[in-house]
Amino acid sequence: QVQLVESGGGSVESGGSLRLACTVSGARFSNMCIGWNRQYPGKDREGVASINTNDHTTFYADASKGRFTITEDAAKNTVYLEMSSLEEIDTAMYYCAADLGEYTGNWCRPARLRRFGVWGQGTQVTVSS
């Protein structure tokens, strides 16, 4: 059974940084698309960033380009989301999501993350002014 466990959320002041981690178990880490969605209260989840572990390609939503960086550590079966220059608009619940496969290209775009079948429990990020 595939499981995703997130960690690293918390509270930070505007302009600060946080690092989220998503650790995978029960699946081959090198053959998946894995990334982060966030969800505001009462809104649909939106993709933030993703990484294709088949070819190590990374993808970013426009709102996260230049501020967020997604990386992988295959030895730890973990994907990280480094978030810097955080703003109040980044306050949301962040979810890790994954889809298993050996595909490339648009399969791993952040916009597709919300359709993926494997999800973590979520971690709250709160940015205050």
Side-chain angles (χ1 to χ4, degrees):
Q1 182 179 358
V2 183
Q3 288 190 320
L4 307 177
V5 178
E6 299 116 329
S7 61
S11 297
V12 65
E13 291 187 350
S14 182
S17 300
L18 281 174
R19 187 177 78 162
L20 307 183
C22 176
T23 300
V24 180
S25 61
R28 184 185 296 272
F29 184 79
S30 59
N31 296 134
M32 62 178 62
C33 173
I34 184 167
W36 296 89
N37 291 283
R38 65 186 179 187
Q39 186 171 26
Y40 302 111
K43 301 291 186 181
D44 289 336
R45 295 175 184 181
E46 60 180 44
V48 174
S50 53
I51 186 165
N52 186 333
T53 62
N54 290 283
D55 61 7
H56 316 296
T57 307
T58 58
F59 303 89
Y60 297 93
D62 288 343
S64 57
K65 286 179 182 176
R67 299 188 302 126
F68 294 2
T69 303
I70 189 167
T71 58
E72 61 178 300
D73 185 338
K76 297 181 178 180
N77 281 5
T78 299
V79 170
Y80 300 98
L81 184 68
E82 302 270 2
M83 304 185 293
S84 62
S85 301
L86 284 163
E87 305 167 359
E88 289 183 72
I89 193 66
D90 297 313
T91 296
M93 184 69 80
Y94 285 72
Y95 295 91
C96 183
D99 194 24
L100 309 183
E102 300 182 32
Y103 312 109
T104 58
N106 290 331
W107 166 60
C108 198
R109 294 280 179 185
R112 298 193 71 255
L113 286 170
R114 59 185 177 180
R115 306 177 192 174
F116 287 0
V118 183
W119 290 81
Q121 79 284 1
T123 186
Q124 178 68 37
V125 171
T126 302
V127 183
S128 59
S129 60

